[in-house]
mmCIF file with all atom_site columns, all heavy atoms in Angstrom:
data_model
loop_
_atom_site.group_PDB
_atom_site.id
_atom_site.type_symbol
_atom_site.label_atom_id
_atom_site.label_alt_id
_atom_site.label_comp_id
_atom_site.label_asym_id
_atom_site.label_entity_id
_atom_site.label_seq_id
_atom_site.pdbx_PDB_ins_code
_atom_site.Cartn_x
_atom_site.Cartn_y
_atom_site.Cartn_z
_atom_site.occupancy
_atom_site.B_iso_or_equiv
_atom_site.pdbx_formal_charge
_atom_site.auth_seq_id
_atom_site.auth_comp_id
_atom_site.auth_asym_id
_atom_site.auth_atom_id
_atom_site.pdbx_PDB_model_num
ATOM 1  N N   . GLN A 1 395 ? 82.625 111.049 83.227 1.00 62.00 ? 395 GLN A N   1
ATOM 2  C CA  . GLN A 1 395 ? 82.915 112.352 82.647 1.00 62.00 ? 395 GLN A CA  1
ATOM 3  C C   . GLN A 1 395 ? 82.900 112.267 81.119 1.00 62.00 ? 395 GLN A C   1
ATOM 4  O O   . GLN A 1 395 ? 82.472 113.165 80.443 1.00 62.00 ? 395 GLN A O   1
ATOM 5  C CB  . GLN A 1 395 ? 84.176 112.875 83.126 1.00 62.00 ? 395 GLN A CB  1
ATOM 6  C CG  . GLN A 1 395 ? 84.269 113.190 84.655 1.00 62.00 ? 395 GLN A CG  1
ATOM 7  C CD  . GLN A 1 395 ? 85.594 113.584 85.159 1.00 62.00 ? 395 GLN A CD  1
ATOM 8  O OE1 . GLN A 1 395 ? 86.739 113.400 84.444 1.00 62.00 ? 395 GLN A OE1 1
ATOM 9  N NE2 . GLN A 1 395 ? 85.734 114.145 86.339 1.00 62.00 ? 395 GLN A NE2 1
ATOM 10 N N   . LEU A 1 396 ? 83.462 111.183 80.626 1.00 62.00 ? 396 LEU A N   1
ATOM 11 C CA  . LEU A 1 396 ? 83.399 110.993 79.121 1.00 62.00 ? 396 LEU A CA  1
ATOM 12 C C   . LEU A 1 396 ? 82.043 110.881 78.580 1.00 62.00 ? 396 LEU A C   1
ATOM 13 O O   . LEU A 1 396 ? 81.640 111.416 77.601 1.00 62.00 ? 396 LEU A O   1
ATOM 14 C CB  . LEU A 1 396 ? 84.286 109.752 78.710 1.00 62.00 ? 396 LEU A CB  1
ATOM 15 C CG  . LEU A 1 396 ? 85.834 109.833 78.854 1.00 62.00 ? 396 LEU A CG  1
ATOM 16 C CD1 . LEU A 1 396 ? 86.455 108.529 78.734 1.00 62.00 ? 396 LEU A CD1 1
ATOM 17 C CD2 . LEU A 1 396 ? 86.332 110.809 77.791 1.00 62.00 ? 396 LEU A CD2 1
ATOM 18 N N   . GLY A 1 399 ? 80.331 114.172 78.490 1.00 62.00 ? 399 GLY A N   1
ATOM 19 C CA  . GLY A 1 399 ? 81.035 115.218 77.659 1.00 62.00 ? 399 GLY A CA  1
ATOM 20 C C   . GLY A 1 399 ? 81.825 116.204 78.381 1.00 62.00 ? 399 GLY A C   1
ATOM 21 O O   . GLY A 1 399 ? 82.095 117.250 77.922 1.00 62.00 ? 399 GLY A O   1
ATOM 22 N N   . GLN A 1 400 ? 82.209 115.857 79.662 1.00 58.00 ? 400 GLN A N   1
ATOM 23 C CA  . GLN A 1 400 ? 82.951 116.864 80.435 1.00 58.00 ? 400 GLN A CA  1
ATOM 24 C C   . GLN A 1 400 ? 84.450 116.803 80.122 1.00 58.00 ? 400 GLN A C   1
ATOM 25 O O   . GLN A 1 400 ? 85.136 117.757 80.517 1.00 58.00 ? 400 GLN A O   1
ATOM 26 C CB  . GLN A 1 400 ? 82.702 116.494 81.936 1.00 58.00 ? 400 GLN A CB  1
ATOM 27 C CG  . GLN A 1 400 ? 81.336 116.653 82.407 1.00 58.00 ? 400 GLN A CG  1
ATOM 28 C CD  . GLN A 1 400 ? 81.111 116.203 83.860 1.00 58.00 ? 400 GLN A CD  1
ATOM 29 O OE1 . GLN A 1 400 ? 82.087 115.874 84.421 1.00 58.00 ? 400 GLN A OE1 1
ATOM 30 N NE2 . GLN A 1 400 ? 79.934 116.352 84.306 1.00 58.00 ? 400 GLN A NE2 1
ATOM 31 N N   . VAL A 1 401 ? 84.948 115.837 79.480 1.00 50.00 ? 401 VAL A N   1
ATOM 32 C CA  . VAL A 1 401 ? 86.355 115.701 79.108 1.00 50.00 ? 401 VAL A CA  1
ATOM 33 C C   . VAL A 1 401 ? 86.435 116.165 77.622 1.00 50.00 ? 401 VAL A C   1
ATOM 34 O O   . VAL A 1 401 ? 85.775 115.540 76.819 1.00 50.00 ? 401 VAL A O   1
ATOM 35 C CB  . VAL A 1 401 ? 86.868 114.323 79.310 1.00 50.00 ? 401 VAL A CB  1
ATOM 36 C CG1 . VAL A 1 401 ? 88.342 114.275 78.837 1.00 50.00 ? 401 VAL A CG1 1
ATOM 37 C CG2 . VAL A 1 401 ? 86.740 113.915 80.786 1.00 50.00 ? 401 VAL A CG2 1
ATOM 38 N N   . PRO A 1 402 ? 87.312 117.058 77.201 1.00 41.00 ? 402 PRO A N   1
ATOM 39 C CA  . PRO A 1 402 ? 87.448 117.525 75.858 1.00 41.00 ? 402 PRO A CA  1
ATOM 40 C C   . PRO A 1 402 ? 87.801 116.371 74.938 1.00 41.00 ? 402 PRO A C   1
ATOM 41 O O   . PRO A 1 402 ? 88.698 115.543 75.330 1.00 41.00 ? 402 PRO A O   1
ATOM 42 C CB  . PRO A 1 402 ? 88.427 118.610 75.912 1.00 41.00 ? 402 PRO A CB  1
ATOM 43 C CG  . PRO A 1 402 ? 89.116 118.362 77.300 1.00 41.00 ? 402 PRO A CG  1
ATOM 44 C CD  . PRO A 1 402 ? 88.263 117.791 78.113 1.00 41.00 ? 402 PRO A CD  1
ATOM 45 N N   . ALA A 1 403 ? 87.354 116.350 73.739 1.00 39.00 ? 403 ALA A N   1
ATOM 46 C CA  . ALA A 1 403 ? 87.641 115.335 72.808 1.00 39.00 ? 403 ALA A CA  1
ATOM 47 C C   . ALA A 1 403 ? 88.973 115.482 72.240 1.00 39.00 ? 403 ALA A C   1
ATOM 48 O O   . ALA A 1 403 ? 89.624 116.497 72.433 1.00 39.00 ? 403 ALA A O   1
ATOM 49 C CB  . ALA A 1 403 ? 86.584 115.330 71.705 1.00 39.00 ? 403 ALA A CB  1
ATOM 50 N N   . MET A 1 404 ? 89.543 114.530 71.545 1.00 37.00 ? 404 MET A N   1
ATOM 51 C CA  . MET A 1 404 ? 90.897 114.622 70.970 1.00 37.00 ? 404 MET A CA  1
ATOM 52 C C   . MET A 1 404 ? 90.916 115.796 69.971 1.00 37.00 ? 404 MET A C   1
ATOM 53 O O   . MET A 1 404 ? 90.145 115.937 69.139 1.00 37.00 ? 404 MET A O   1
ATOM 54 C CB  . MET A 1 404 ? 91.231 113.331 70.249 1.00 37.00 ? 404 MET A CB  1
ATOM 55 C CG  . MET A 1 404 ? 91.365 112.118 71.147 1.00 37.00 ? 404 MET A CG  1
ATOM 56 S SD  . MET A 1 404 ? 92.744 112.334 72.305 1.00 37.00 ? 404 MET A SD  1
ATOM 57 C CE  . MET A 1 404 ? 94.014 112.292 71.160 1.00 37.00 ? 404 MET A CE  1
ATOM 58 N N   . GLY A 1 405 ? 91.933 116.679 70.150 1.00 36.00 ? 405 GLY A N   1
ATOM 59 C CA  . GLY A 1 405 ? 92.070 117.754 69.226 1.00 36.00 ? 405 GLY A CA  1
ATOM 60 C C   . GLY A 1 405 ? 91.467 119.034 69.842 1.00 36.00 ? 405 GLY A C   1
ATOM 61 O O   . GLY A 1 405 ? 91.793 120.156 69.349 1.00 36.00 ? 405 GLY A O   1
ATOM 62 N N   . ALA A 1 406 ? 90.639 119.029 70.747 1.00 38.00 ? 406 ALA A N   1
ATOM 63 C CA  . ALA A 1 406 ? 89.989 120.155 71.367 1.00 38.00 ? 406 ALA A CA  1
ATOM 64 C C   . ALA A 1 406 ? 90.999 120.805 72.273 1.00 38.00 ? 406 ALA A C   1
ATOM 65 O O   . ALA A 1 406 ? 91.911 120.159 72.892 1.00 38.00 ? 406 ALA A O   1
ATOM 66 C CB  . ALA A 1 406 ? 88.778 119.871 72.104 1.00 38.00 ? 406 ALA A CB  1
ATOM 67 N N   . PRO A 1 407 ? 90.962 122.045 72.541 1.00 38.00 ? 407 PRO A N   1
ATOM 68 C CA  . PRO A 1 407 ? 91.893 122.768 73.440 1.00 38.00 ? 407 PRO A CA  1
ATOM 69 C C   . PRO A 1 407 ? 91.667 122.260 74.806 1.00 38.00 ? 407 PRO A C   1
ATOM 70 O O   . PRO A 1 407 ? 90.592 122.173 75.322 1.00 38.00 ? 407 PRO A O   1
ATOM 71 C CB  . PRO A 1 407 ? 91.630 124.279 73.287 1.00 38.00 ? 407 PRO A CB  1
ATOM 72 C CG  . PRO A 1 407 ? 90.185 124.263 72.744 1.00 38.00 ? 407 PRO A CG  1
ATOM 73 C CD  . PRO A 1 407 ? 90.061 123.042 71.912 1.00 38.00 ? 407 PRO A CD  1
ATOM 74 N N   . PRO A 1 408 ? 92.856 121.843 75.546 1.00 40.00 ? 408 PRO A N   1
ATOM 75 C CA  . PRO A 1 408 ? 92.610 121.392 76.831 1.00 40.00 ? 408 PRO A CA  1
ATOM 76 C C   . PRO A 1 408 ? 92.228 122.348 77.781 1.00 40.00 ? 408 PRO A C   1
ATOM 77 O O   . PRO A 1 408 ? 92.579 123.464 77.783 1.00 40.00 ? 408 PRO A O   1
ATOM 78 C CB  . PRO A 1 408 ? 94.089 120.763 77.109 1.00 40.00 ? 408 PRO A CB  1
ATOM 79 C CG  . PRO A 1 408 ? 95.026 121.580 76.303 1.00 40.00 ? 408 PRO A CG  1
ATOM 80 C CD  . PRO A 1 408 ? 94.186 121.972 75.043 1.00 40.00 ? 408 PRO A CD  1
ATOM 81 N N   . ALA A 1 409 ? 91.489 121.878 78.829 1.00 45.00 ? 409 ALA A N   1
ATOM 82 C CA  . ALA A 1 409 ? 91.047 122.771 79.946 1.00 45.00 ? 409 ALA A CA  1
ATOM 83 C C   . ALA A 1 409 ? 92.119 122.889 80.961 1.00 45.00 ? 409 ALA A C   1
ATOM 84 O O   . ALA A 1 409 ? 92.965 121.916 81.069 1.00 45.00 ? 409 ALA A O   1
ATOM 85 C CB  . ALA A 1 409 ? 89.791 122.162 80.512 1.00 45.00 ? 409 ALA A CB  1
#
Side-chain angles (χ1 to χ4, degrees):
Q395 291 177 350
L396 286 169
Q400 297 177 0
V401 178
M404 295 296 295

